[in-house]
Amino acid sequence: MNIVLVERLGAIIAGIVVGVVAFYALYKDWQATGIENNVFKLMLFLLGIGAILALLAGLNVIGFAPPKGA
Amino acid sequence: MAVASLAHDAHGDADQLYIETRELRLQGFLLFLVSDCVLFSSFIFAYLYLRNSGQGWPPPGIHRLDVAFAAWNSVVLFGSGATMHYALENYKHGHWMRYMWFLLATIVLGAGFLGGQAYEYTHLIYGEHVTWSGSGIFGASFFTLTGMHGLHVFFGVCYLSVLVLQSAAGVYTRGKYFGITAGTLYWHFVDVIWVVLFSIFYLI
């Protein structure tokens, strides 16, 4: 199997898992108050965004991959 | 011993000094993260300015970075952010063993990310002949920013390893665990910085 395909599949599967986990944790902590919890909420949101970006990159929707053999 | 300490401290035995200083420690730690954010921002904006002031990007003779491996390596780091979050949550709820497993998983994933970055550096330096000093603004920006981030990840892995040892030694209790909270905040910060670096180097 092509190594690039393996990397993309890994990015897609792990991106979905991490994204779901991050947004679920954000949902669970939504009612929490205080500086600490609000910082955690912000960071979980950005973590979820990062997972979505990695997922889209894995799907070749964004980013750039050199053509095979380049 | 640590499990016993958790059970013993089920109602919280945080002493008065800890209660009084915890908020200050938290604010001090957040200020540290803000200062680190300013450090990264200055390098990131310098990179973006230089990138947009040149003629085309990347400079002639340098290929665009391959996104497939970077995406995989990124989700390894983002996954470590999720495990660290659940490590703290489990600690708060008194699930000591689960906390330790999540913490160890975070360390393994963090080390895995560093391994991936080392692999990418090797490929760039020996395969593409991109170096810090010999590839103009691109090489200097890429290796400075990702190297600085990698150093933060390395220090984070060291910090989390110390947390494992301290937790096993029973340093933290259910009422006193600011070290674990600070570790979680730091690790999330390192993740968030990588979201930005991943976007500017590989996606745009």
Side-chain angles (χ1 to χ4, degrees), chain A residues 7-31:
Chain A
E7 289 164 0
R8 287 191 181 281
L9 274 175
I12 292 164
I13 295 165
I16 292 169
V17 172
V18 174
V20 168
V21 167
F23 284 115
Y24 178 68
L26 179 63
Y27 167 75
K28 272 186 77 179
D29 287 357
W30 194 251
Q31 301 294 334

Side-chain angles (χ1 to χ4, degrees), chain B residues 104-120:
Chain B
L104 287 170
T106 308
I107 292 169
V108 169
L109 290 170
F113 172 81
L114 287 176
Q117 205 169 31
Y119 168 78
E120 189 172 25

Side-chain angles (χ1 to χ4, degrees), chain A residues 7 29 35-36 43 50 64, chain B residues 22 30 67 69 78 85 188:
Chain A
E7 289 164 0
D29 287 357
I35 301 174
E36 182 183 325
M43 290 189 169
F64 172 84
Chain B
R22 191 185 184 284
L30 289 175
V67 78
F69 180 75
F78 300 152
H85 182 79
H188 277 315

Side-chain angles (χ1 to χ4, degrees), chain B residues 165-186:
Chain B
L165 297 176
Q166 286 184 326
S167 302
V171 170
Y172 300 109
T173 64
R174 276 189 76 183
K176 291 168 67 175
Y177 56 89
F178 182 73
I180 302 169
T181 306
T184 310
L185 282 168
Y186 180 82

